Amino acid sequence: MALLAWAPIPLGSNRPWAWMALEIGAFGLAGLWCAAWAVGAVRLPDAARAAWPAWLLLAAWLALQALYVVPLPPDTVAWLSPESARVQGLADAIGAHRELMTLSIDPHASQVSLLESCAYVAVFFLTLALVNRRARLLRLAQVLVGAAVIHATYAVFMHLYGASGEWFGTRIAHFDSASGTYANRNHFAGFLEMSLALGIGLLIAGISERRADDWRRFLRSSLEWVLGPKMLLRLGLCVLVIALTTTHSRMGNIAFFASLLVAGAAGLALSRHATRNTVILLASLVAIDLFIVGSWFGVEKLARRIEQTTAADVRQREEPAAYAIPIIRDYAPWGTGPGTFYVAFPKYRPPEVANFYEYTHNDYVQLASESGLAGLAVIGLFVALSIAAALAAQWRRRDPLMRGMSFACVMGATSILIHSWTDFNLQIPANAAFFMVLLALGWIALYRDRQSVPGLANVREEGR
């Protein structure tokens, strides 16, 4: 929990030393768990075992990532990726003959990306391995939402104050929009989207199914709500919405409300145990957050920015992705190698595009150009299976906590998948790690405390 709470602080861990710290933390914790498992101190939870399809896909993903940095004979590289062999063969033309090549056109960048991928898989594993009790699941969600509220509070105050200064060596101007500890407000918006999804999941988990039979019970339940922890959580979500609104991120806000509607509709359609209070809660989230809270903190400016979006603005976001499409064609099906977009792109951009692009503003194009259609298919299937597990939990589980966490998985993942069409949130280590936690929650929500014996499973399910 400390590692996940720390990750957004140093510019979303999007600096070499920061993502190295994230990797060391993830590998160290995973190593400690493996050592404890080796001596019999811990065992692999049922949810981690049941998620074997995810492990197969993640193993295939890591194997593919490793393939790019393995030295291969030039003939093999030419057979797998003729364009990669041709580009690397240019070095031979100037007298730097090499007996071996790699599938990646920049092996060092691909090695860095491989370590990042291993760290994300370690975060996914740690979530499944350590969140093995209800108390731990609840505490994880509470800590992550609480940390996000602290980030959001800092971002809003810095924005309202109009501050500007350096943060870990990077100058951040807060007067125009809230970006918190991120260098880019759109990436901060992505972090807030996932945090809001987790917070809403907690609210759903705490919904009471009791009905007030008379005015005394209604008054008592109302006072319990106002004076209890649910009110603090609701206020925290208001702070997160305020921060998301003041980022003035067009796609971030659109993705949040679209994912809320999609996840809400899916949850109500699939859940056989949804109550009237759930419907009221989802409706109040949209009404209160958008029309009341947002109107005080810049929703008009955000709406104005959306209305004033021009074709030139859209082209500016689309251009890197559009010009990167030929990369996918030339390097299909394997791509140029993870982390190599900035090396491959200059050849394909027209002369009038003079900006340096380390990432394309589209995670799907970035994945397809770097890891090829094969890599995009493998990681896409992993994400789809995790969301499917969360949707299955919505249908099968009666436990409010499991329904809430499955809702958080569906909403958070959907939000980032929508936002990824115009930004590169999944290239930011802190956001990618949070995304893996949400996907792990989908498997936990489906399989935690469920027995493999059908009869026992039905009995236990009736109690949940």
Side-chain angles (χ1 to χ4, degrees), residues 144-428:
L144 292 182
V145 173
V149 171
I150 294 174
H151 284 289
T153 303
Y154 166 79
V156 171
F157 276 118
M158 293 294 283
H159 171 60
L160 294 178
Y161 183 70
S164 179
E166 285 194 359
W167 184 260
F168 287 99
T170 298
R171 188 164 186 81
I172 300 178
H174 300 276
F175 57 85
D176 183 58
S177 58
S179 57
T181 58
Y182 284 70
N184 188 312
R185 64 184 176 186
N186 294 295
H187 303 150
F188 182 52
F191 167 71
L192 293 173
E193 294 161 29
M194 293 184 286
S195 301
L196 276 162
L198 193 54
I200 294 172
L202 277 176
L203 274 183
I204 292 175
I207 291 178
S208 174
E209 299 182 1
R210 294 177 302 174
R211 294 187 178 183
D213 298 329
D214 52 44
W215 67 270
R216 292 185 181 87
R217 292 187 179 181
F218 175 78
L219 182 59
R220 178 182 299 175
S221 62
S222 300
L223 288 175
E224 289 176 352
W225 190 87
V226 171
L227 299 177
K230 295 179 185 178
M231 185 62 178
L232 290 177
L233 175 60
R234 190 66 187 90
L235 291 175
L237 293 184
C238 288
V239 173
L240 293 178
V241 170
I242 291 169
L244 178 61
T245 304
T246 52
T247 63
H248 302 142
S249 172
R250 291 166 292 196
M251 200 60 179
N253 282 270
I254 291 172
F256 165 65
F257 286 107
S259 64
L260 176 59
L261 294 176
V262 169
L268 293 176
L270 294 175
S271 178
R272 296 172 293 175
H273 310 289
T275 63
R276 181 184 61 179
N277 292 339
T278 305
V279 180
I280 295 174
L281 171 64
L282 295 176
S284 69
L285 285 170
V286 176
I288 295 176
D289 293 346
L290 181 61
F291 297 110
I292 298 178
V293 176
S295 63
W296 294 345
F297 291 91
V299 73
E300 293 181 359
K301 184 175 180 179
L302 172 64
R304 222 170 24 246
R305 190 164 183 261
I306 295 175
E307 291 174 357
Q308 294 172 357
T309 301
T310 64
D313 296 328
V314 176
R315 281 197 304 272
Q316 186 179 10
R317 287 294 184 91
E318 288 182 343
E319 278 179 348
Y323 295 139
I325 297 298
I327 302 178
I328 303 174
R329 182 186 64 240
D330 290 348
Y331 288 87
W334 306 108
T336 62
T340 61
F341 175 79
Y342 76 101
V343 177
F345 184 66
K347 174 189 172 183
Y348 295 88
R349 68 182 183 188
E352 60 270 16
V353 179
N355 293 335
F356 171 77
Y357 286 97
E358 187 174 2
Y359 308 103
T360 179
H361 287 270
N362 186 308
D363 277 324
Y364 303 100
V365 175
Q366 178 110 15
L367 278 170
S369 63
E370 292 184 345
S371 298
L373 299 177
L376 180 63
V378 170
I379 203 66
L381 186 56
F382 161 70
V383 173
L385 277 180
S386 299
I387 296 176
L391 291 173
Q394 289 280 324
W395 172 254
R396 298 178 184 177
R397 302 305 299 268
R398 184 176 180 179
D399 186 339
L401 180 58
M402 299 306 144
R403 294 209 312 269
M405 294 301 99
S406 62
F407 182 94
C409 173
V410 174
M411 180 181 169
T414 302
S415 180
I416 289 298
L417 293 177
I418 295 173
H419 200 168
S420 289
W421 282 104
T422 59
D423 271 303
F424 47 97
N425 273 289
L426 295 180
Q427 307 301 321
I428 307 303

Side-chain angles (χ1 to χ4, degrees), residues 54-130:
W55 296 123
L56 289 179
L57 290 169
L58 288 176
W61 169 255
L62 292 182
L64 179 62
Q65 299 289 291
L67 177 64
Y68 291 98
V69 298
V70 174
L72 300 171
D75 292 342
T76 303
V77 175
W79 178 69
L80 291 173
S81 179
E83 185 65 17
S84 179
R86 189 191 70 80
V87 169
Q88 296 179 75
L90 295 176
D92 297 342
I94 59 175
H97 179 72
R98 291 173 294 178
E99 295 182 356
L100 296 175
M101 290 183 177
T102 58
L103 196 57
S104 169
I105 62 175
D106 187 347
H108 174 71
S110 295
Q111 289 172 2
V112 172
S113 184
L114 172 61
L115 287 175
E116 289 183 352
S117 295
C118 290
Y120 300 147
V121 173
V123 169
F124 183 80
F125 168 77
L126 288 168
T127 306
L128 287 173
L130 296 177

